[in-house]
Amino acid sequence: MKLTSKGRYAVMALVDLARFDSINPVSLRDISLRQGISLDYLEQIFSKLKKNEIVKSIRGTQGGYVLNKNPNDIKLTNIFHAVDEKVKTVQCKRESKRGCNGKATKCITHNLWDELETHINTFFENKSLDDLLKNKKETRV
Amino acid sequence: MKLTSKGRYAVMALVDLARFDSINPVSLRDISLRQGISLDYLEQIFSKLKKNEIVKSIRGTQGGYVLNKNPNDIKLTNIFHAVDEKVKTVQCKRESKRGCNGKATKCITHNLWDELETHINTFFENKSLDDLLKNKKETRV
DNA sequence: ACATACCTGACTAAAATGGTCAAGTTTAGA
DNA sequence: TCTAAACTTGACCATTTTAGTCAGGTATGT
Ligand code: FES
Ligand code: FES
């Protein structure tokens, strides 16, 4: 069970963006430099964030990205959904009438994994970008 | 973020084992057939479960595996640890004095991922094999 | 005009995953 | 004693996923 870089970077970038957003749009170049994330990779990520209306883009010189919503209304769930970072604990297709073993009944651990998935998603639903901004200081090691 | 088959299978197999354990040792062949898991793969998994003293083996004809502890004392954490299914949300090395960006400070999202990791691990620490046995019925679809 | 910055799609090296395969050793029971 | 069931070990491998890179664009403020 691990978090992928895409999801981690998406959140990092958005926190960075939210911090500097106030006056001017923020360029991916700046985020790339500040957070140490590849610019090309960031572009892929922001393309998805834009499609999902989490950010707006402003082209041309002095352009960049701006949040498209109040930080309070951007939950981790929304971010992860946008970049296809999905939580998948069950093996079976959720809609399917069959279990992961191919039988007509769900397997003996299905309920457990389902519970786990809910447990994790709850965390993501309850965290907003705003919550992350409150914890502004980079923690000293 | 997804659960790997190794972790999922380990738990499935142990629940199956615990159900039939009462009188005789249970052969991997039986578990393989009942749960639809490759026998060769199960052998790898049980080798690890044995090293971690979660099961005992009995060789020869009529042999098989038996739980080595009370189902109540086998937590998901123990199972996952045994088969190297680890929860990893942070990018940086936990012991390291540096952040995932190579800087001397932890990155702006480090605390968040740390919190997430704790959140997930709590779930695993609180679930025992015994809890799973109570929910014996395979749920009808 | 031109530099800055967004935009798009194709491509790929490396790692992880989810196994298989082969060649054993041990032991109960006929 | 012989044999088949079942554990044991280690090597091997195909496929998929990840985490990017690369090579082109297009839009726009100055
Ligand atoms: S995980 Fe859904 S049936 Fe096994
Ligand atoms: S995840 Fe630990 S420093 Fe970034």
Side-chain angles (χ1 to χ4, degrees):
Chain A
M1 293 235 68
K2 69 180 161 207
L3 190 68
T4 67
S5 286
K6 191 179 286 187
R8 193 182 298 107
Y9 287 167
V11 177
M12 276 176 83
L14 283 175
V15 173
D16 183 291
L17 175 60
R19 280 202 203 174
F20 289 88
D21 176 310
S22 30
I23 310 162
N24 301 306
V26 180
S27 74
L28 292 190
R29 179 151 205 288
D30 287 352
I31 298 181
S32 165
L33 290 173
R34 276 194 297 258
Q35 304 303 330
I37 305 170
S38 142
L39 176 58
D40 285 321
Y41 203 21
L42 273 180
E43 277 171 352
Q44 288 182 38
I45 294 171
F46 272 75
S47 152
K48 298 187 179 199
L49 292 174
K50 189 188 168 188
K51 277 200 190 94
N52 282 265
E53 297 175 334
I54 292 173
V55 295
K56 277 185 300 197
S57 68
I58 292 150
R59 302 186 71 153
T61 320
Q62 304 299 335
Y65 285 93
V66 184
L67 288 185
N68 197 17
K69 294 176 181 178
N70 191 300
N72 203 21
D73 293 329
I74 302 177
K75 309 291 184 189
L76 284 202
T77 295
N78 306 134
I79 302 174
F80 280 174
H81 178 258
V83 299
D84 305 311
E85 171 88 33
K86 36 186 168 259
V87 177
K88 181 164 168 56
T89 57
V90 297
Q91 175 78 335
C92 57
K93 293 204 187 65
R94 198 168 286 284
E95 335 77 51
S96 161
K97 292 262 188 294
R98 329 203 121 263
C100 60
N101 41 23
K103 294 178 193 157
T105 49
K106 293 293 184 189
C107 78
I108 49 182
T109 47
H110 179 92
N111 287 348
L112 172 68
W113 308 132
D114 209 38
E115 230 184 289
L116 170 60
E117 201 162 308
T118 303
H119 184 74
I120 297 175
N121 280 325
T122 300
F123 183 90
F124 293 148
E125 278 155 22
N126 289 333
K127 278 282 184 216
S128 70
L129 206 51
D130 200 40
D131 295 329
L132 300 178
L133 289 172
K134 283 173 194 153
N135 183 7
K136 270 193 179 163
K137 302 193 308 296
E138 291 185 359
T139 317
R140 275 259 153 225
V141 189
Chain B
M1 292 234 72
K2 69 179 159 209
L3 191 67
T4 67
S5 286
K6 191 179 288 188
R8 194 182 298 108
Y9 288 167
V11 177
M12 277 176 84
L14 282 175
V15 173
D16 184 291
L17 176 60
R19 280 202 203 174
F20 289 88
D21 177 309
S22 31
I23 311 164
N24 301 306
V26 180
S27 74
L28 293 191
R29 180 151 203 287
D30 287 352
I31 298 181
S32 165
L33 289 174
R34 277 195 295 260
Q35 304 303 329
I37 305 171
S38 143
L39 177 58
D40 284 320
Y41 203 23
L42 272 180
E43 278 169 351
Q44 287 183 38
I45 292 172
F46 272 76
S47 152
K48 298 187 180 200
L49 292 175
K50 190 188 168 188
K51 278 202 189 92
N52 283 265
E53 296 174 334
I54 291 173
V55 295
K56 277 185 300 198
S57 69
I58 293 153
R59 301 185 70 154
T61 320
Q62 306 297 334
Y65 285 93
V66 183
L67 287 185
N68 197 16
K69 293 179 181 176
N70 191 301
N72 203 21
D73 293 329
I74 302 177
K75 308 290 184 189
L76 283 201
T77 293
N78 307 132
I79 302 174
F80 280 174
H81 178 258
V83 299
D84 306 312
E85 171 88 34
K86 33 187 170 261
V87 177
K88 182 164 167 52
T89 57
V90 298
Q91 174 79 337
C92 58
K93 290 201 189 67
R94 199 167 286 285
E95 335 77 53
S96 161
K97 293 264 191 292
R98 329 202 122 262
C100 59
N101 40 24
K103 293 179 193 157
T105 48
K106 293 293 183 188
C107 78
I108 48 181
T109 48
H110 178 92
N111 286 348
L112 172 68
W113 309 131
D114 210 37
E115 228 183 292
L116 171 59
E117 202 161 308
T118 302
H119 184 74
I120 297 176
N121 280 324
T122 300
F123 184 89
F124 293 147
E125 277 154 24
N126 289 334
K127 277 283 183 219
S128 69
L129 206 50
D130 200 42
D131 295 330
L132 300 179
L133 290 172
K134 284 173 193 153
N135 183 8
K136 271 195 178 160
K137 302 193 307 298
E138 292 185 356
T139 316
R140 276 259 153 227
V141 190

